[in-house]
Amino acid sequence: MSVVSGCDVAVAPPGAVPVATAELWIGVPASTSGRSRMKDPAAPSGVRWLVFFAVREEASPLERLLGACPSSIRVRTTGMGHANAGRCVVQELQATTPAAILTCGFAGGLDPALPHGQVVFDADPGLGIVETLAARGAVPVRFVHTDRILITAREKADLRGRTGADAVDMESAVIRERARAAGVPSATIRVVSDAAGEELPLDFNELMTPDMRLHYPSLIGQLMVSPGRIPCLMGFGRRTALAARALASVVKAVFDRPPPFSGV
């Protein structure tokens, strides 16, 4: 198995527990510095599943579950947002032609019926994974893309009213678009990190640099001004960690099933 974290992933400095909790949800986004947390091996031949997460914190539970597996699975972290995800997908597809692409990670709930921790998906017809996903409790939904993190329940309700979508994320649209352009079937498999009626503990948009990196002085500044947010942030981090593990279990079940079609 090739499990690789990052299309050029920046290393986070040490910080207090609330900082680590914010990193769990925001993660350590991709940079353009050319430095990588791990050595990035060449893409192996015979890749069946090319799996993209925005940040390492989303991917780590799946990495732990996979352990030592065949080289048919390649896990990549792209960094947050459309630009980072699009750049990473292009790099990967220049190096290998997978049989299928998955875009995984957290999603914001827009449908009030979707609870925190619910695994949701949208898959290309013929990919052959719908029954496996449904058997593990995942539900099909309609996703919508945004270029910013939705913080309030009002924002989520407004977006659902405009689009009719059930869940929102920032990377899947461009990943699926690049997959279609390359003729590779794909699916979005994500977990609801914040339900439709849930307010996020911080305005994470104010903590990001233009290239979608966590700006630590801004984070520490918000926590110093509003220390009462720290318990909410830590509780949110714990719930999000559980959600990431639930997602990993479902995605691994997809890999464990019999191949549905030639090449996967």
Side-chain angles (χ1 to χ4, degrees):
M1 176 188 66
S2 177
V3 179
V4 185
S5 292
C7 288
D8 301 330
V9 178
V11 178
V17 171
V19 175
T21 301
E23 287 176 358
L24 174 63
W25 195 79
I26 297 178
V28 185
S31 73
T32 55
S33 66
R35 295 183 179 180
S36 176
R37 178 185 298 185
M38 299 174 62
K39 182 180 180 181
D40 183 3
S45 60
V47 173
R48 293 180 178 179
W49 298 101
L50 181 55
V51 187
F52 293 103
F53 291 85
V55 295
R56 179 176 174 80
E57 287 71 16
E58 296 171 324
S60 293
L62 179 62
E63 294 176 352
R64 290 193 293 268
L65 279 182
L66 290 174
C69 287
S71 61
S72 58
I73 304 169
R74 183 167 170 85
V75 178
R76 297 288 280 165
T77 55
T78 66
M80 289 181 64
H82 182 280
N84 286 324
R87 181 166 51 247
C88 188
V89 175
V90 168
Q91 291 174 1
E92 286 296 306
L93 291 177
Q94 289 173 344
T96 187
T97 303
I101 288 174
L102 301 181
T103 164
C104 303
F106 299 136
L110 302 180
D111 181 351
L114 296 174
H116 175 94
Q118 174 66 58
V119 177
V120 292
F121 71 91
D122 175 78
D124 284 346
L127 192 55
I129 65 174
V130 171
E131 289 186 3
T132 299
L133 291 169
R136 297 303 298 258
V139 297
V141 300
R142 179 185 171 194
F143 287 91
V144 66
H145 166 268
T146 63
D147 57 6
R148 67 184 301 278
I149 301 164
L150 301 188
I151 306 301
T152 67
R154 173 64 65 86
E155 288 180 295
K156 297 176 208 176
D158 288 347
L159 183 59
R160 180 167 169 80
R162 293 196 308 271
T163 66
D166 305 302
V168 58
D169 78 277
M170 300 173 65
E171 298 82 28
S172 292
V174 67
I175 293 172
R176 301 287 297 276
E177 177 185 315
R178 298 288 190 270
R180 285 191 293 271
V184 179
S186 65
T188 303
I189 309 174
R190 290 185 172 255
V191 65
V192 175
S193 58
D194 50 296
E198 185 177 358
E199 308 268 335
L200 296 188
L202 293 173
D203 187 343
F204 292 106
N205 297 292
E206 296 180 356
L207 308 180
M208 308 304 292
T209 64
D211 61 347
M212 299 302 290
R213 293 167 57 87
L214 178 61
H215 187 250
Y216 293 95
S218 296
L219 171 59
I220 294 169
Q222 279 207 24
L223 295 177
M224 291 180 66
V225 170
S226 302
R229 295 182 182 183
I230 292 175
C232 293
L233 181 62
M234 294 176 66
F236 180 68
R238 287 191 293 269
R239 297 194 302 275
T240 302
L242 291 173
R245 291 199 287 272
L247 175 64
S249 177
V250 173
V251 174
K252 185 175 185 297
V254 170
F255 301 149
D256 289 343
R257 86 204 195 296
F261 62 85
S262 177
V264 173

